[in-house]
Amino acid sequence: MLSKAQNKYIRSLTQHKFRREFSAFIAEGDKIAKEWLQSAAAIQHIVALEEWAVQHQALISNHPEAALHIVKESELSALSALQTPNQALLVVRMSTQEMALPVDEWSIALDNIQDPGNMGTIIRIADWFGINHIVCANECVDVYNPKVIQAAMGGHLRVQIHRTDLSEFLSGSKVPVLVAALNGSNLYSMPRQQAATLVIGNESKGVSDSIMQLATHKITIPRRGGAESLNAAVSAGIICSHLLPA
Amino acid sequence: MLSKAQNKYIRSLTQHKFRREFSAFIAEGDKIAKEWLQSAAAIQHIVALEEWAVQHQALISNHPEAALHIVKESELSALSALQTPNQALLVVRMSTQEMALPVDEWSIALDNIQDPGNMGTIIRIADWFGINHIVCANECVDVYNPKVIQAAMGGHLRVQIHRTDLSEFLSGSKVPVLVAALNGSNLYSMPRQQAATLVIGNESKGVSDSIMQLATHKITIPRRGGAESLNAAVSAGIICSHLLPA
């Protein structure tokens, strides 16, 4: 059972303002809840169906700091941002650890990514390719948005996500700055890079002019068909698969 | 102005059942509305803000078959499936043209793709790489779902989308059947293919066993990090970029 106040608190975390105020966010769904419970993250609340809680007793007991609430399906779906039926929802504390920006290793830099699905998918791509850092421009969508958490599939646990002034970060870069653009050189002719920063631009406007000026290489995925552009996350995935060390 | 009946009709098209009954679907948003108006598709209704309609008079006059409705922002957003403010919404008739399944050219086959965003993004990928056919298993999400139309960015206009029994289609295939899997051979060692069918599986379960048995090649995108898997559309994009003729 959840108290009225707890219910209100958890619901408030769908809003950026309250996530920031309380330094907490929601991670939900069977797969994602398990990923977070397997980690050392500080969990505040575990809200779950009885069957799920029984089945995952061992994982839950890893987190004595968390309050466990067994609820009915209707209570859970009232809290949920997901459309499909859910089994568990966690409230997780944001880590307050200060993280140093990447200097001489691979990173993905995001210039104003607005779609939470794209943001989460890019975090998942970094996680797949072993890229340890994502550097978000201050204008990007909040990376603790429930849809970002959903699409990242636990990527937040392994990828360090920074938020900073992107121009400043790129100006000080010691590695090649690769910008995905529609008029760059052919991706397929480029050798794999030991270290680099890959810059992905806004979904409709692409990379802003001030950031484009900081590119050491502009790269294009060769087009054979009629589409005007590729999805931002798909472009990031394609470029990573060609340029990361194999 | 829209009549009550027209309003009800357009709203009904957010549901699969009514799209099928009326053989019509919604295409909305500035960019996508322009793409469809530029095409020879049969448009039933154009619902637009006055400013937008004035600005796109030439495009609109290409479609004398369509009824034009100038509406206020509130009327438009009541019809819209989009979260961000919208300027135009079209009701488009489905094409009834019979299309032959691909025999000896590139295609992407989808085994039970459920997420409309993924479906649309894969259509956009096919459109970018000049793949003319997508073959959907009967179980896939409806390709005229508004979110699919949105994510495909006009791809429906250039890519032929089939819905059929996937086992039957693949059994008769005359080109290599490449299946994206987690235990296949290294994508980076595979040569580009003149023609092939790339099979992408369900978001959580992957490719079903019966389809897997029809694979001539299982291929894997090498992993360097901790993620369990990649997003289905991202995988499709990566594989296309490595295996289509350059």
Side-chain angles (χ1 to χ4, degrees):
Chain A
M1 276 283 292
L2 282 161
S3 71
K4 232 176 178 175
Q6 287 168 334
N7 233 303
K8 192 178 159 196
Y9 168 62
I10 296 176
R11 276 168 199 266
S12 80
L13 298 177
T14 53
Q15 288 178 59
H16 182 208
K17 176 170 88 166
F18 293 111
R19 288 195 294 274
R20 208 155 64 171
E21 181 175 337
F22 298 123
S23 286
F25 62 93
I26 292 170
E28 61 170 330
D30 168 61
K31 232 174 175 169
I32 288 173
K34 283 190 280 191
E35 280 252 27
W36 286 89
L37 287 174
Q38 272 157 13
S39 79
I43 315 278
Q44 287 178 343
H45 297 281
I46 303 172
V47 186
L49 303 184
E50 184 162 14
E51 200 191 19
W52 194 91
V54 170
Q55 218 179 325
H56 298 94
Q57 231 160 1
L59 271 180
I60 291 171
S61 66
N62 277 343
H63 288 276
E65 79 280 12
L68 175 63
H69 312 271
I70 303 297
V71 297
K72 289 189 200 139
E73 218 167 310
S74 56
E75 262 184 284
L76 189 56
S77 51
L79 287 177
S80 173
L82 298 179
Q83 289 191 338
T84 42
N86 198 350
Q87 297 176 287
L89 179 152
L90 310 179
V91 176
V92 184
R93 270 204 154 283
M94 289 179 195
S95 160
T96 53
Q97 215 184 321
E98 276 292 321
M99 298 175 302
L101 284 164
V103 176
D104 53 6
E105 55 180 314
W106 261 97
S107 66
I108 299 179
L110 302 177
D111 180 19
N112 200 1
I113 286 289
Q114 286 304 310
D115 181 84
N118 281 340
M119 174 62 86
T121 303
I122 292 172
I123 296 171
R124 188 172 171 191
I125 289 167
D127 191 17
W128 177 268
F129 284 106
I131 295 176
N132 294 322
H133 299 272
I134 289 184
V135 183
C136 301
N138 287 316
E139 297 75 22
C140 286
V141 61
D142 177 30
V143 299
Y144 294 106
N145 176 308
K147 286 185 191 164
V148 177
I149 300 287
Q150 206 54 37
M153 297 286 283
H156 291 73
L157 288 164
R158 290 170 291 268
V159 179
Q160 291 184 31
I161 305 170
H162 312 264
R163 183 173 284 268
T164 189
D165 180 309
L166 204 54
S167 301
E168 212 169 282
F169 167 66
L170 294 174
S171 303
S173 174
K174 287 179 179 138
V175 298
V177 175
L178 318 175
V179 177
L182 287 171
N183 60 349
S185 49
N186 186 332
L187 169 67
Y188 304 156
S189 318
M190 200 160 176
R192 293 184 180 272
Q193 307 284 311
Q194 265 319 109
T197 295
L198 169 61
V199 185
I200 301 290
N202 174 265
E203 286 88 351
S204 58
K205 292 176 208 141
V207 172
S208 53
D209 290 346
S210 59
I211 296 294
M212 194 60 96
Q213 285 172 9
L214 299 168
T216 60
H217 302 72
K218 293 181 202 172
I219 42 181
T220 299
I221 301 164
R223 169 170 68 172
R224 302 174 76 240
E228 221 180 77
S229 62
L230 273 170
N231 165 278
V234 171
S235 302
I238 291 175
I239 297 173
C240 287
S241 77
H242 287 269
L243 298 187
L244 267 282
Chain B
M1 275 283 291
L2 283 161
S3 72
K4 231 177 179 175
Q6 287 168 334
N7 232 304
K8 192 178 160 196
Y9 168 62
I10 296 176
R11 276 168 200 265
S12 81
L13 298 176
T14 52
Q15 287 178 58
H16 182 208
K17 178 169 88 167
F18 293 110
R19 288 196 294 274
R20 209 156 61 173
E21 181 175 336
F22 298 122
S23 285
F25 62 93
I26 292 170
E28 59 171 330
D30 168 60
K31 232 173 175 171
I32 287 173
K34 283 191 280 191
E35 280 251 26
W36 286 88
L37 287 173
Q38 272 157 14
S39 81
I43 315 277
Q44 287 178 344
H45 297 280
I46 303 172
V47 186
L49 303 185
E50 184 162 14
E51 199 191 20
W52 193 91
V54 170
Q55 217 179 323
H56 299 93
Q57 232 160 1
L59 272 180
I60 291 170
S61 66
N62 276 344
H63 289 275
E65 80 280 13
L68 175 63
H69 312 273
I70 304 294
V71 297
K72 290 192 200 135
E73 217 168 311
S74 57
E75 261 184 285
L76 189 57
S77 53
L79 288 176
S80 172
L82 298 179
Q83 290 192 336
T84 43
N86 198 350
Q87 298 174 285
L89 179 152
L90 310 179
V91 176
V92 185
R93 269 205 154 284
M94 289 178 196
S95 160
T96 53
Q97 214 184 320
E98 276 291 322
M99 298 175 302
L101 285 165
V103 176
D104 54 6
E105 54 181 315
W106 262 97
S107 66
I108 299 179
L110 302 178
D111 180 19
N112 200 1
I113 286 290
Q114 287 303 309
D115 181 83
N118 281 340
M119 174 63 85
T121 303
I122 291 172
I123 296 171
R124 188 173 171 191
I125 289 167
D127 191 18
W128 177 269
F129 285 105
I131 295 175
N132 294 322
H133 300 272
I134 289 185
V135 184
C136 301
N138 288 316
E139 297 74 22
C140 286
V141 61
D142 177 31
V143 299
Y144 295 105
N145 176 306
K147 286 184 190 164
V148 177
I149 300 287
Q150 206 54 37
M153 297 286 283
H156 291 74
L157 289 165
R158 290 170 292 268
V159 179
Q160 291 184 33
I161 306 170
H162 312 264
R163 183 175 283 268
T164 189
D165 180 310
L166 203 55
S167 299
E168 213 169 280
F169 166 67
L170 294 175
S171 302
S173 174
K174 287 177 179 139
V175 298
V177 175
L178 319 175
V179 177
L182 287 170
N183 59 350
S185 48
N186 187 332
L187 169 67
Y188 305 156
S189 318
M190 200 161 176
R192 292 184 180 273
Q193 307 283 311
Q194 265 319 109
T197 295
L198 169 61
V199 185
I200 301 290
N202 173 264
E203 287 87 351
S204 58
K205 293 175 208 140
V207 172
S208 53
D209 290 346
S210 60
I211 295 295
M212 194 59 98
Q213 285 172 9
L214 300 167
T216 59
H217 302 73
K218 294 182 201 172
I219 42 181
T220 298
I221 301 164
R223 170 169 68 174
R224 302 174 76 239
E228 222 181 74
S229 63
L230 272 170
N231 166 278
V234 171
S235 302
I238 291 175
I239 296 172
C240 287
S241 77
H242 286 270
L243 298 188
L244 266 282

